[in-house]
Amino acid sequence: MGMLTKLRERAGRDGGANAGGGRGADACPDESRAGRGPRGQAGRTGSGAGSGAGAGSGTHSGSGAGGDRGGLGGHHLSGLGGGFGGGRGDNPGSGRGGHARRPRRGAAAGRRLVRYLPALVIVAGLLFDYLTPSRITASPLFAAAPLIAAPFYSLRGTLMVAVAALLSELGLHLYVGSAYKVESISELLTVLVVAGLALYINGVVRRSGQRLASARIIAETAQRAVLPRPAERIGGLRVAARYEAAQEGAFIGGDLFAVQETPYGVRLVVGDVRGKGLVAVEAVAVVIGAFREAAEQETSLEGVARRLEHSLTREMLRREGLDAVEGFTTAVLAEIPPDGTVVRLVNRGHPEPLLVNGDGAVRTLAPCDTSLPLGMSELGGWPDRIEQAAYPPGATLLFYTDGLSEARNPQGVFYVPSERLDGRVFQGPDEMLQALIDDVRVHTGGGSQDDMALLAVTRPPEGAPERRRTIPIVP
């Protein structure tokens, strides 16, 4: 609602002031880019007025050098299985290593405790019954053991815990010579009934787990159908893509990406559909389907953007309620001509992509003028403007959704990818994306609060041999 209100205010304030065709390379003066931060975070890296949600005040000046947010090898990656070396913060990292995430100690300790808890409860029951007077019984502890095991153990494991609890209860009564008393028989029956209930609960949990696993497989299959991962080499460029769901086990949401080789070069789209659930997935399918058709037929990126606009508008006509008036998609379209020397962009209200040079220098490809997201043409008509930038050999284009730029740590500090990547060199696009995902997990303390789609496209250095993947041979 807040984003739509701002866009409507802009429509009333600016209505149709923008006119003209596309812009060439470096059309925006350098000073217009000063102080421009990520969307909604203007002023984070400078003192100028940002072009995001408001004017920045430069409260977080500098690029992180010497601060506790100083580079991908610094404070936030200490202890992350090697991470990236050469951090510029107060706590430099330990060098270039793998990207394996270190498991949380708390989670591992919790799993070990659950594994041994039923046995510990039975042992506690034996000691309690042995050390207390005969009128005090430990049968509640023996009855609790199979109930604790039911949600976490297999059927066989739960049955073994139930048998151990029954034998422990019976053995104690035989030891003290009270096995045939009414109270003892009642306690044994109580443990037996609870053990049967635990076996039933175990069966319910196992069936629920099977249904959940089936749902995850279906969701993953749907993602592969609607949002297939692009090939590693497209049009001579190296490509890598990642989709990280905010909730573990959820494979697809409203973020999207697609890359396609066309007669006009390699064209791609990265976007974020408003909303969640099935409605968002339907919009993702509409956008990607329209993009693949338009990318082959339209001679310009402006034409592709118009086709996407028409497709989303037609899709909203068949919807009801809030989705019929507030369904929109932020997106950035890109085109890399066959010679690969430049990149052309059309940005429709999406976070600005980054151009990471081979030496680690980072440049934000911010548009000269902001544009409305796709699906909001009823607020006003602004012609799409093509921004063009040089695309040198060895450089990588990074496209992402707001799940990356709006990820926050426990103190509420946003993640700034341009600062985190500045000065870092990667072997390829896949390594860059994995590094970002690991760093976001460290920054947020476990994961992003929103879905996150990442797409990296690298122009190989001139004369560089083609990188091949080694596949182990199994005899």
Side-chain angles (χ1 to χ4, degrees), residues 143-180:
L147 283 177
I148 296 173
F152 308 106
Y153 281 37
S154 63
L155 178 62
R156 180 179 179 184
T158 304
L159 179 60
M160 293 177 63
V161 172
V163 170
L166 282 170
L167 291 178
S168 299
E169 179 78 18
L170 179 61
L172 284 173
H173 289 307
L174 290 175
Y175 179 76
V176 299
S178 61
Y180 300 102

Side-chain angles (χ1 to χ4, degrees), residues 76 407-414 440-447 449:
H76 285 291
R408 290 179 291 182
N409 65 9
Q411 290 74 39
V413 178
F414 285 96
V440 168
R441 289 189 181 124
V442 175
H443 180 78
T444 60
Q449 294 83 11

Side-chain angles (χ1 to χ4, degrees), residues 185-418:
I185 295 175
S186 176
E187 292 172 1
L188 283 170
L189 288 175
T190 300
V191 176
L192 180 62
V193 170
V194 175
L197 179 62
L199 293 174
Y200 174 75
I201 294 174
N202 179 267
V204 171
V205 171
R206 285 189 298 110
R207 286 192 294 271
S208 299
Q210 291 170 356
R211 286 194 293 268
L212 179 60
S214 177
R216 288 178 176 176
I217 292 174
I218 293 172
E220 187 176 10
T221 303
Q223 182 194 31
R224 290 174 179 173
V226 177
L227 199 65
R229 180 172 293 187
E232 295 182 359
R233 302 278 300 197
I234 299 179
L237 304 172
R238 296 176 59 189
V239 180
R242 291 285 191 280
Y243 186 97
E244 290 289 311
Q247 183 178 3
E248 186 176 358
F251 291 93
I252 189 168
D255 293 6
L256 62 96
F257 52 74
V259 185
Q260 187 164 327
E261 187 174 8
T262 73
Y264 313 101
V266 175
R267 287 177 169 176
L268 60 91
V269 61
V270 176
D272 187 0
V273 174
R274 174 200 168 274
K276 298 288 184 181
L278 183 59
V279 174
V281 175
E282 291 174 351
V284 167
V286 169
V287 172
I288 292 181
F291 168 76
R292 293 200 181 281
E293 181 180 6
E296 290 284 343
Q297 299 175 355
E298 296 292 336
T299 58
S300 66
L301 275 185
E302 298 102 316
V304 177
R306 285 194 298 268
R307 292 276 290 271
L308 297 185
E309 179 73 42
H310 294 159
S311 297
L312 277 176
T313 302
R314 185 172 59 248
E315 170 70 13
M316 287 189 294
L317 291 177
R318 70 178 187 85
R319 296 186 180 182
E320 298 178 354
L322 191 63
D323 293 322
V325 295
E326 290 200 358
F328 60 86
T329 300
T330 67
V332 58
L333 299 164
E335 176 184 276
I336 303 169
D339 60 9
T341 57
V342 297
V343 56
R344 303 186 183 110
L345 300 168
V346 170
N347 196 322
R348 298 295 294 269
H350 199 75
E352 298 93 344
L354 302 177
L355 179 64
V356 184
N357 291 324
D359 59 359
V362 178
R363 177 186 175 190
T364 301
L365 302 180
C368 295
D369 298 303
T370 57
S371 300
L372 291 174
L374 299 170
M376 302 190 73
S377 57
E378 75 279 1
L379 296 182
W382 284 269
D384 290 305
R385 300 180 184 276
I386 290 184
E387 311 286 346
Q388 182 169 297
Y391 190 24
T396 299
L397 288 164
L398 175 64
F399 303 86
Y400 56 91
T401 57
D402 57 7
L404 177 69
S405 57
E406 295 182 2
R408 290 179 291 182
N409 65 9
Q411 290 74 39
V413 178
F414 285 96
Y415 187 88
V416 185
S418 59

